[in-house]
Structure formats: structure tokens, C-alpha cells
Amino acid sequence: MSILAEAFLKNRAEQLPADVSDQFIVPPFFNRISIFADTKSVRILGGRGCGKTMFIRHFCHSTTFSPKKLGIDDSALESVGLYLRPDTGFCSLMTSSWLGPEQSRLAFSHYVTLQLLAEAYQALLNIASADLAAGPLDVMSQRISPALALQFSQQVSTVGQLGDFVDLKLSELDLWVRNPRNYAQPTFLSFATVLPRLAEDLARSSPRLTGLSFRAFIDEFENLVEVQRMVICDSIKHPHLRLAVHIAHKRGAVTDFKTSSDERIVEMHDLRKIDLEELLSSVTEFELLAAELFLLRLHLKGVSFDCPAFDPQKLYDRKDLSYRLTSDYRTKVVGRVRELLPRLTSTDIAHEVLRDDPLKRRLIEMIDKGLGRHGLKKEYMGTSLVDAAKPRASVVLGALVNRASDPSAALHAFIELKDDKGGGPGDPFYKVGGWVDNNLYGCLFHLYAGLPQRENLLYAGFDRFCQLARPSLRYFQELCHVTLLLEFENSDRNDIEPVSYKHQAQAARQVSDAMFEDVPQLGLHGERLREMVRRLGAIFEALNRRPSQSEPEVNHFSIDHADKEGLSEDALLVLKEARTWSVLYEEPDTKNKRDYDVAQSDWVLNRIFAPRFGVSYRKRRKLTLKATQVNTILSQSSLAFESLLKELVEPERAARSSTGQLF
């Protein structure tokens, strides 16, 4: 495997070390969020691949006190981050039926306490060896208070003994949870008590530790059962000056934040929210972050790419963010990646269509079919209408002559254009909002759909990779990995040159197919989610195959608000799961055409699936569906769905020669 492809091989935070000081790029939105301004807890949201774990790791002790950092200020001691991703397999044993109602709750709290103590011990080791600007800080020899020693059953007298104690207690807990009748119940500890006391003891030991506090990050919070989430919510509801508990979970996966009492966690009052998915949805900010990530991964592999404005050391500290947000820096960095992952414009691709014999032949057949439909084949011929000098108009003409309305005006306008008599401000092809603006992309997708084995160049290019991946940096990295593997397979070169359009397009299709096959692994309803993706893809693909392209680039849907009450429980479950796992995105509806058709949300199929179905990744047009139709798509039989598919496409059925490829 080539060095270049290996640069993007590891695209999950779990594959990286705990110290991400040279991996985490301070995101463009960093100055707009506040995570340690007070002791209030934070809820970090985001779908798969949005970087929740990497984001958290940036704030944790392994990165804060990394041996790679020099002259660390003592202010870092005021927020010592502790990371915990609960072992869901082990936690699932702590049930009422197995341990008893109260014991199961206390056992989970004890488990969290021991895990966070292990993290705290490792954090103190890192602090003791860190290059602190004010000089070394010996914390391991510090004695703990009698009150804390009592909590530790008099088995710990100094901080340095904490590690062995925690290891022993974790082993005891493991044996008891798995064999509750054969082993004595452990003495349960509470993290809400023990960690603040440990911080207090350390704060009294040195003036430099006066402001010491712990910040515990509980990752994958949604994987905990309700009673376990209550334990965490209790600590959020009642924060301590020296301990704040933060949680991270998939967007929409947790909606009830109940404590063990009748109280609930309330946003704004008890915690703040950081929605990474929403923050990464900004086109300009995602493109900048993706470009920097692309160059950083190459840099870390020793690959040269000739971009003087790019300085890896300026990616890791928020004080350098102002430099990175300048228009000059963005132009140079994003521009360089665009050069390495180049794209063809829609105009360029229209030229390619007329240079590519099979695509050109498909366009001519499309025009001839439309002419035949209107009885105009005696007056016009597709071969004489298609004009290499007017590629965009030629491509769009294919749709215009296939529409139900009389195409004479379009044909006359095209002939004037060919004779260089058209093209003025009022020309219907090229005026703003004219035929080309509204139909070119849709027509190009339609032409490529008829040749599914051909690389669709509409998916090639850095900007389009960003459109397919946003807001998932993981998807972007996978697109880059496969692209470079195809382009530089078996190459050991240490520089990079622009990647071909075809290899980028191939990579987009390969990644799209792989992500589709991965859907069954998503949660408890993965197979149902994949069937939903298959059915929505089939609908959008069928609409894309309509020669008229009267509604081009349909790739999302909304549900008539007046009809939403008709959604079945099964359909609602699938929608919830699809949103949680980022298979569908729920976005505000901004394009209602009619006042009486009020749909509050648009449901957008994750754009990473677009290449698999040969459809557009641009959010242009949608279907507004009745609840009964959504129920059919999400939860009814294949026969019922096929009947609905015909109903949706019936106004202009896809060409019969293409129908077999829909299923």
C-alpha cells in the first residue's frame, strides 16, 4: 500500500493514541463555543464521524499535558480532563434482575468512580512529567487527607499509591458483578464525592494547584441504560466546584435527561450544548477544516505538497485561529487542495459528454425520443441539433424536448443559439434562472445514469467530496484514502500531484457502496435502515431517469405537516434511528412552494449514498409525501413499495429500458 493512501487509513479517533496534540485541528468555530468558562456541564452532540471523540480527547489530560508540548502554563491545571467511554458489555451486567435494584445503581456509580480515578491517576502522572513553564510539579508524593483515606479503606496514603488501589478494586468489582453470589459485595464509592475530595487535597498541597478541578467526559452516553444515565445526570444537576461532568452522544439519541429524583436536566440552566454536526454544516468552515486535515495527514506522512501558507504548528492552538481564518490563508490552503483534488465544472462535463461517444449517443437518442413524442422527427434530427460549440444548451435540450409542453420555442431558441443569433440577456438558455441554470446538473446526472459503469465526473473534486461528506470528516478521509489508493497504488513516492478525475469519481462510488453495505451495523435496526436507504435511493434514481427532468435533482423529502399524525409507530421508529445514525438528516424546510403545504422539516438522505444511486448531492428539489406513503417506504412490504414507486414516477415513467436497473 502506498504512503499516500496510508495517510488517511486511520479515520477514527479510537485508532489514534489518547494524545491527539498533533492530530486535532482547532476548528474554525472554536472561538464561538465556551466549554470551561464556568462549572456548568456541557452536552456534546454529533452524528457518526463528526469528531466527537477527537474533540473530547483534545480537552483531556493526555493531550493537555502531552510530552510534545513545551512550557505548559499552570492555568492548564484548572481543568484536568478525564475521559471515560463506558464498557457497555460490562455495564449491561449491572441490572436489577442480576444484582438487585439498588446494588445495580451503586455498582455502576462505583464503576464510573474507579474508571475516573484511574484517569485521574494517569493525569497526575502526566502532570508530574510535563514540561510546565513554572517548573516541575511533584504530585505523586502528596499525602491524602484522613477523610479520603477512609473512603479508600485506609489502603491509600499518598497519591502515588492510587494506581494500584484502583487496579485492585476494578478486579474486585469485575469478579463480584460476574459472580455476585460467590464474592463479597465491594465497598461502593461515589465519583461525585471522591474526585472533588482528591482535588481538594491536591489544592491544599501546593499554591500552584489552588485552582485544580477535574472535568469528566462521558463518551457514548446514549449506550447507557436509563438508570445508569440517571446516575450521571445526578452529578450534572448538582455540580461541584472541583468536578464537572460532561456528556457526549449522537444527535437525537437521548431525549430524556431524568435524574434519580423527579427532576430533569434542563438546557441553559444545568448544561450547555455544543452541536458539532450543526457547526460542521457550514460549507466554508467544513471546507477549510477538510483542506487542513488533508494537508496535515500528508505532512505527518512526510509527503511534500508545496503550500508555504500551511503551517502544521498553527493548527493546534486557538491563538493561531485568527491567522487561519484570514481570507488569504483560506484561499491558499483550500486552493492548493483543490489543485490536488481537481474538479471539472458542469460546463466542462457538458463538453466531455459531447466528446464521449457513448454519452453523446445517449444524448442524441434522448433528443430523438422527445422529437418522436411530439411528431417532430421529420423536421429535426438529434444528430444535427447537438452542437459541440454549445454543449450546455445541447445537454439541456435533451430534457426540454421530452416534456409534455410543445418544445417548439426551445427548438427555435436553440437553433438561434447555434447560428450565434441567441445568447443575449433575454436568451432562455443562459439567462439567470434560465433553462441551463435550472436543468444542467439534472440532465448530466440523467445521462450518466444510463451508463452506470462509467465514472460519473460530477462526483470528482475536493468541493464535491466536501458536499458528499459534510458534516462527517470520517467520510471525507475515506474518500481521500480510496482516491489516493487508486491513483498511487504501489507507489512509494513522497510527493503528490493532482489526482485524475476518473479516480476520484471511482473512489466516490466505492466509498458510497461501502457505506451502504455498512448500514446494517448501525444499531439494533440496521437492516431496516438499509432497506430504507435502498428504497429512497430507488425513488430518487427513478425520478432522475425521467428524460424530461421536469423536476431535476430530487434527493430529499418532506412530510405534509397536516398529515404527520398518520405516521405509524414503525415509521417513527425508523425515522428516529435514521436521524440518530446520520442516515437521514432532518433540516429546516426553506423551499415550500405553497402556503397550505407546510412541512416543518426536510429529510435528506445522507449525501454519501448519492454516488451509489447516481443522484445529485445538491439540495435542490424534494418530494412532499403523505404519511401513508412514508409508512409504505419505511415499514411496509416490497410489493407495496413497488406499487408506490410506480405511483410516484407515473406522471413520466422512466424509460422502459432502464426500469430493470431500479430494483
Side-chain angles (χ1 to χ4, degrees):
M1 187 179 295
S2 72
I3 292 174
L4 289 174
E6 286 177 352
F8 296 92
L9 192 57
K10 295 180 179 180
N11 57 26
R12 296 177 62 94
E14 292 85 349
Q15 298 172 299
L16 300 173
D19 176 7
V20 295
S21 55
D22 63 351
Q23 297 281 345
F24 178 79
I25 302 172
V26 173
F29 56 75
F30 210 72
N31 286 336
R32 302 202 303 272
I33 62 175
S34 174
I35 193 166
F36 291 145
D38 55 30
T39 58
K40 191 172 290 185
S41 296
V42 174
R43 184 164 68 111
I44 302 163
L45 309 180
R48 296 178 77 217
C50 283
K52 295 188 299 298
T53 300
M54 180 74 86
F55 184 79
I56 293 170
R57 290 285 194 188
H58 170 72
F59 295 105
C60 290
H61 62 87
S62 293
T63 301
T64 304
F65 303 104
S66 168
K68 300 170 187 174
K69 292 185 176 181
L70 303 177
I72 301 170
D73 193 84
D74 277 2
S75 61
L77 299 167
E78 296 176 5
S79 298
V80 178
L82 311 177
Y83 178 79
L84 171 59
R85 185 174 66 173
D87 181 336
T88 51
F90 184 63
C91 290
S92 66
L93 297 174
M94 300 181 210
T95 62
S96 297
S97 59
W98 183 243
L99 299 177
E102 191 63 18
Q103 287 86 349
S104 61
R105 184 181 66 82
L106 292 173
F108 174 74
S109 178
H110 183 54
Y111 165 77
V112 172
T113 305
L114 294 176
Q115 292 290 345
L116 292 178
L117 278 174
E119 275 283 287
Y121 174 74
Q122 188 59 52
L124 296 172
L125 282 176
N126 288 339
I127 290 170
S129 60
D131 183 17
L132 299 174
L137 187 59
D138 179 20
V139 290
M140 305 310 292
S141 62
Q142 298 299 326
R143 297 190 65 82
I144 63 173
S145 65
L148 191 55
L150 180 62
Q151 291 277 327
F152 295 151
S153 305
Q154 306 298 337
Q155 293 177 269
V156 178
S157 58
T158 66
V159 172
Q161 296 172 336
L162 189 57
D164 290 339
F165 170 79
V166 169
D167 285 343
L168 177 64
K169 294 303 176 183
L170 280 170
S171 294
E172 285 182 1
L173 176 65
D174 184 80
L175 286 170
W176 176 73
V177 167
R178 298 179 192 279
N179 309 277
R181 292 169 183 81
N182 299 335
Y183 288 88
Q185 177 178 297
T187 300
F188 295 133
L189 298 175
S190 166
F191 62 92
T193 301
V194 170
L195 283 168
R197 281 185 175 173
L198 177 60
E200 287 283 1
D201 287 357
L202 290 166
R204 286 195 294 267
S205 70
S206 168
R208 294 172 63 187
L209 293 171
T210 302
L212 177 70
S213 67
F214 293 118
R215 298 290 184 262
F217 292 88
I218 313 298
D219 201 0
E220 298 187 358
F221 180 70
E222 72 272 21
N223 290 337
L224 300 175
V225 298
E226 183 181 17
V227 67
Q228 294 168 351
R229 293 200 298 267
M230 287 180 184
V231 170
I232 304 301
C233 287
D234 283 345
S235 62
I236 293 174
K237 192 71 176 178
H238 305 286
H240 192 283
L241 183 63
R242 297 196 185 275
L243 174 65
V245 177
H246 309 309
I247 56 176
H249 61 84
K250 294 181 183 68
R251 198 180 192 188
V254 183
T255 55
D256 189 8
F257 297 89
K258 189 179 183 303
T259 66
S260 56
S261 68
D262 291 334
E263 294 182 300
R264 281 176 166 76
I265 302 301
V266 180
E267 202 165 296
M268 295 297 294
H269 295 285
D270 301 309
L271 83 173
R272 303 185 188 281
K273 180 178 74 173
I274 297 176
D275 190 335
L276 296 180
E277 189 173 297
E278 183 179 293
L279 291 165
L280 286 170
S281 294
S282 163
V283 175
T284 56
E285 294 192 353
F286 185 87
E287 285 183 350
L288 176 59
L289 193 57
E292 291 176 322
L293 179 60
F294 184 85
L295 296 182
L296 175 63
R297 287 300 179 87
L298 296 181
H299 165 76
L300 292 174
K301 277 294 180 181
V303 179
S304 60
F305 43 78
D306 188 25
C307 184
F310 179 78
D311 181 355
Q313 299 307 313
K314 293 187 180 298
L315 301 178
Y316 312 133
D317 197 320
R318 66 188 305 169
K319 67 179 172 51
D320 295 311
L321 195 53
S322 57
Y323 165 74
R324 292 168 47 217
L325 293 179
T326 62
S327 59
D328 181 63
Y329 173 83
R330 174 187 163 78
T331 299
K332 290 175 179 176
V333 170
V334 175
R336 181 59 182 138
V337 179
R338 283 174 175 158
E339 291 171 355
L340 296 174
L341 296 174
R343 58 169 274 181
L344 291 172
T345 66
S346 56
T347 300
D348 296 330
I349 297 173
H351 276 288
E352 288 294 316
V353 166
L354 298 191
R355 285 194 288 260
D356 185 306
D357 288 340
L359 284 170
K360 181 178 180 180
R361 187 161 53 248
R362 178 163 161 75
L363 174 60
I364 291 171
E365 290 171 355
M366 181 181 174
I367 293 174
D368 281 336
K369 180 184 175 183
L371 293 173
R373 177 180 179 179
H374 292 282
L376 296 173
K377 291 197 73 172
K378 292 182 180 180
E379 299 177 50
Y380 304 98
M381 292 181 59
T383 51
S384 60
L385 286 172
V386 169
D387 186 354
K390 301 291 186 292
R392 291 186 295 167
S394 297
V395 168
V396 169
L397 183 66
L400 299 180
V401 298
N402 274 281
R403 293 179 180 172
S405 57
D406 184 355
S408 298
L411 288 166
H412 292 154
F414 182 79
I415 291 170
E416 285 193 353
L417 199 64
K418 279 186 66 176
D419 296 339
D420 289 327
K421 296 177 182 177
D427 176 75
F429 278 97
Y430 295 120
K431 71 178 181 181
V432 176
W435 289 330
V436 167
D437 276 356
N438 288 325
N439 298 285
L440 181 57
Y441 265 86
C443 291
L444 290 171
F445 278 113
H446 172 78
L447 291 172
Y448 274 106
L451 300 170
Q453 301 306 313
R454 189 173 244 65
E455 301 87 357
N456 187 335
L457 303 182
L458 286 159
Y459 299 121
F462 169 72
D463 304 83
R464 291 176 178 137
F465 276 10
C466 288
Q467 286 179 283
L468 291 172
R470 194 179 75 247
S472 173
L473 289 166
R474 186 181 302 162
Y475 288 159
F476 173 75
Q477 291 178 81
E478 189 64 18
L479 288 165
C480 294
H481 169 65
V482 177
T483 294
L484 298 182
L485 190 60
L486 290 169
E487 182 80 4
F488 302 107
E489 189 174 7
N490 301 320
S491 167
D492 59 357
R493 60 189 300 152
N494 61 358
D495 61 351
I496 186 171
E497 58 189 26
V499 180
S500 71
Y501 309 116
K502 287 189 176 182
H503 280 149
Q504 293 182 73
Q506 285 176 14
R509 177 58 192 262
Q510 287 185 25
V511 171
S512 185
D513 287 345
M515 294 303 103
F516 175 77
E517 295 302 331
D518 185 52
V519 173
Q521 312 306 317
L522 306 181
L524 299 176
H525 305 280
E527 285 291 353
R528 295 185 68 180
L529 292 181
R530 183 165 67 170
E531 183 61 21
M532 179 206 71
V533 174
R534 181 187 287 113
R535 290 181 177 188
L536 287 174
I539 291 171
F540 300 146
E541 185 180 19
L543 294 173
N544 177 45
R545 288 182 182 276
R546 297 191 301 190
S548 70
Q549 290 296 297
S550 55
E551 287 287 319
E553 299 185 79
V554 177
N555 61 3
H556 60 290
F557 70 95
S558 64
I559 307 166
D560 188 334
H561 181 58
D563 197 39
K564 278 190 176 181
E565 295 301 318
L567 288 174
S568 68
E569 290 297 321
D570 270 357
L572 288 170
L573 172 65
V574 175
L575 281 177
K576 178 181 181 298
E577 286 289 301
R579 180 176 54 190
T580 296
W581 291 100
S582 301
V583 174
L584 287 178
Y585 291 116
E586 186 178 11
E587 299 179 355
D589 175 21
T590 58
K591 295 186 177 181
N592 272 320
K593 293 182 179 179
R594 298 166 293 187
D595 291 338
Y596 64 85
D597 182 21
V598 182
Q600 291 182 329
S601 298
D602 290 337
W603 293 90
V604 183
L605 184 63
N606 193 314
R607 294 168 182 87
I608 198 65
F609 300 123
R612 176 176 180 82
F613 299 105
V615 299
S616 177
Y617 39 78
R618 306 195 311 167
K619 188 181 177 186
R620 305 289 285 184
R621 290 174 177 82
K622 69 179 179 185
L623 287 175
T624 298
L625 300 172
K626 298 291 184 183
T628 53
Q629 295 173 317
V630 177
N631 291 339
T632 298
I633 295 168
L634 300 184
S635 60
Q636 294 184 15
S637 69
S638 296
L639 281 176
F641 170 69
E642 289 179 20
S643 176
L644 173 64
L645 178 61
K646 293 175 183 177
E647 174 190 325
L648 293 173
V649 183
E650 186 65 38
E652 293 181 68
R653 293 287 301 275
R656 292 186 180 276
S657 61
S658 303
T659 303
Q661 300 177 32
L662 295 179
F663 304 100

